[in-house]
Amino acid sequence: MREQQQEQPQADRPLLEVQHLRKYFNTKQGTLKAVNNISFSIARGETLGIVGESGCGKSTTGRAVLRLVEPTAGSVIFEGEDITTFRSDRLRSFRRDAQIIFQDPFASLDPRLSVAEIIGEPYEIFNLYSRKERRERVQSLMSLVGLSTKLTNSFPHELDGGRRQRVGVARALALDPKFVVCDEPVSALDVSIQAQILNLIQDLQDRLHLTYMFISHDLSVVRHISDRVAVMYLGKIVEITTYHNIFTRPRHPYTQALLSAIPIPKIRARRERIILEGDVPSPVDPPEGCIFAGRCPFVMDKCREAEPALISTEGDHHTACFLVHDRTET
């Protein structure tokens, strides 16, 4: 199968293909299954949004895809090559093509370095360009992300949250990557600043032909930026389709519940809320059968006995739910 993928024309092959990815952590309570057998792909120039509750495994997925944490099992195929097999030299080369924008712009920046030093640090790590060229490229990147060159010698604590995140974006783009994981890049920012950073990220994608994995717990943000959306619950993808289908025709009960919680910005406008009962199961001891069965208002007997596969239920709309599967068959 992998040989066939390598023979596939470059233009038709997804930039990233994730196959049966798992990431487990050993804890005192047992094995925590943070990411548990998920598969998806991202086309060149596409933005795949990944949403779900805190603790569902979305950030771990982003880090495992970049090998910032080592996957327990599965394949991550980037431009036809499985990066999980890369040794240090090949992995170092991959780092130039794939970068990350972190959630907290303060915690992710070294407080001892100036803005220019933070943005230019990737050039030092990879020993690229002369000192003059580095300085010119740093200034160019600052201009690209909307930072005044007056801030060149400023330190992170002297900047507001929006400017700090712009520094993080500039650093991620320093090596001209093809793929960027955006790990909740606006969740720590004020609403007005969120819009600015989202618009910047979209503008940079168009100008630089970037491919994004955009991780967020906020469906409103994901709707603004994504081409397709994957909904995660307890380490698994339960639904994946276009952003239009997710917001107009959600099929999985969990997706429907998430959407019902989005506020409507109109006076006296109401949406029927779907209140999920019970707690999210422990990823250390996930339930048998469907992982959502214990909270699902439409649970059936077979939901507690077998795990529904993530299959196509309508074109490019994939859902892991027996209720949806039965409706599709009939």
Side-chain angles (χ1 to χ4, degrees):
M1 180 66 179
R2 193 168 299 169
E3 292 178 357
Q4 294 176 354
Q5 291 170 338
Q6 292 175 349
E7 294 172 359
Q8 191 176 1
Q10 182 82 1
D12 298 334
R13 187 173 58 213
L15 179 69
L16 181 78
E17 298 172 86
V18 175
Q19 300 176 352
H20 307 293
L21 182 67
R22 292 177 169 87
K23 178 56 187 176
Y24 299 164
F25 296 95
N26 293 323
T27 69
K28 293 181 180 179
Q29 290 74 33
T31 301
L32 190 154
K33 300 178 179 180
V35 179
N36 194 10
N37 192 18
I38 65 172
S39 301
F40 60 88
S41 64
I42 307 178
R44 294 175 185 274
E46 182 185 33
T47 298
L48 174 67
I50 299 186
V51 299
E53 296 172 89
S54 296
C56 71
K58 54 189 186 294
S59 290
T60 303
T61 298
R63 284 167 167 75
V65 164
L66 297 179
R67 279 190 64 183
L68 296 181
V69 296
E70 289 294 333
T72 302
S75 301
V76 180
I77 300 171
F78 184 82
E79 293 192 316
E81 296 184 279
D82 187 355
I83 70 163
T84 63
T85 66
F86 285 1
R87 300 289 184 178
S88 56
D89 290 345
R90 295 286 301 281
L91 186 59
R92 179 180 172 86
S93 177
F94 167 71
R95 299 284 186 225
R96 296 188 61 173
D97 289 328
Q99 288 288 316
I100 185 170
I101 301 171
F102 292 99
Q103 175 180 357
D104 188 339
F106 191 75
S108 63
L109 303 180
D110 191 331
R112 300 167 297 179
L113 300 182
S114 67
V115 168
E117 290 171 331
I118 291 171
I119 297 175
E121 190 174 22
Y123 301 137
E124 292 190 21
I125 293 173
F126 284 88
N127 195 25
L128 299 173
Y129 313 120
S130 66
R131 182 173 299 180
K132 179 182 178 182
E133 288 174 320
R134 290 177 186 176
R135 185 165 55 249
E136 291 174 348
R137 285 178 172 271
V138 167
Q139 292 179 348
S140 176
L141 280 167
M142 291 180 67
S143 176
L144 182 66
V145 301
L147 285 170
S148 171
T149 53
K150 295 179 181 179
L151 301 174
T152 298
N153 297 317
S154 299
F155 289 86
H157 72 272
E158 299 176 303
L159 308 178
D160 59 30
R163 288 189 177 90
R164 283 197 292 262
Q165 193 58 293
R166 290 175 189 270
V167 173
V169 172
R171 178 180 60 183
L173 299 180
L175 298 174
D176 299 319
K178 300 173 183 177
F179 173 63
V180 179
V181 172
C182 305
D183 186 9
E184 302 206 46
V186 298
S187 63
L189 306 176
D190 293 337
V191 174
S192 59
I193 305 301
Q194 284 186 10
Q196 295 177 21
I197 299 300
L198 285 175
N199 290 334
L200 171 64
I201 289 173
Q202 282 190 303
D203 180 58
L204 291 172
Q205 181 176 36
D206 294 336
R207 294 172 64 176
L208 304 177
H209 309 291
L210 297 169
T211 301
Y212 289 147
M213 177 192 293
F214 192 93
I215 298 167
S216 179
H217 64 273
D218 189 336
L219 278 164
S220 299
V221 170
V222 169
R223 183 176 190 173
H224 180 76
I225 199 169
S226 301
D227 297 301
R228 289 187 302 130
V229 178
V231 180
M232 286 192 69
Y233 182 81
L234 203 65
K236 291 183 176 290
I237 294 177
V238 296
E239 187 165 9
I240 183 168
T241 184
T242 64
Y243 83 93
H244 181 266
N245 283 343
I246 283 289
F247 286 92
T248 61
R249 291 185 297 170
R251 311 203 73 179
H252 197 281
Y254 177 62
T255 308
Q256 295 169 1
L258 288 180
L259 289 170
S260 75
I262 299 177
I264 302 175
K266 294 182 181 179
I267 298 176
R268 288 188 292 274
R270 294 184 178 180
R271 178 187 284 119
E272 183 180 354
R273 286 293 309 275
I274 301 175
I275 307 298
L276 297 178
E277 298 181 357
D279 297 323
V280 178
S282 169
V284 175
D285 185 25
E288 296 291 332
C290 176
I291 55 174
F292 190 61
R295 304 179 73 195
C296 181
F298 310 108
V299 63
M300 302 178 290
D301 289 340
K302 65 179 175 180
C303 300
R304 303 184 188 278
E305 300 169 356
E307 180 183 346
L310 182 69
I311 62 174
S312 174
T313 51
E314 184 182 357
D316 60 354
H317 199 147
H318 293 72
T319 315
C321 178
F322 286 127
L323 182 67
V324 180
H325 296 178
D326 292 346
R327 290 174 179 172
T328 303
E329 292 174 359
T330 56

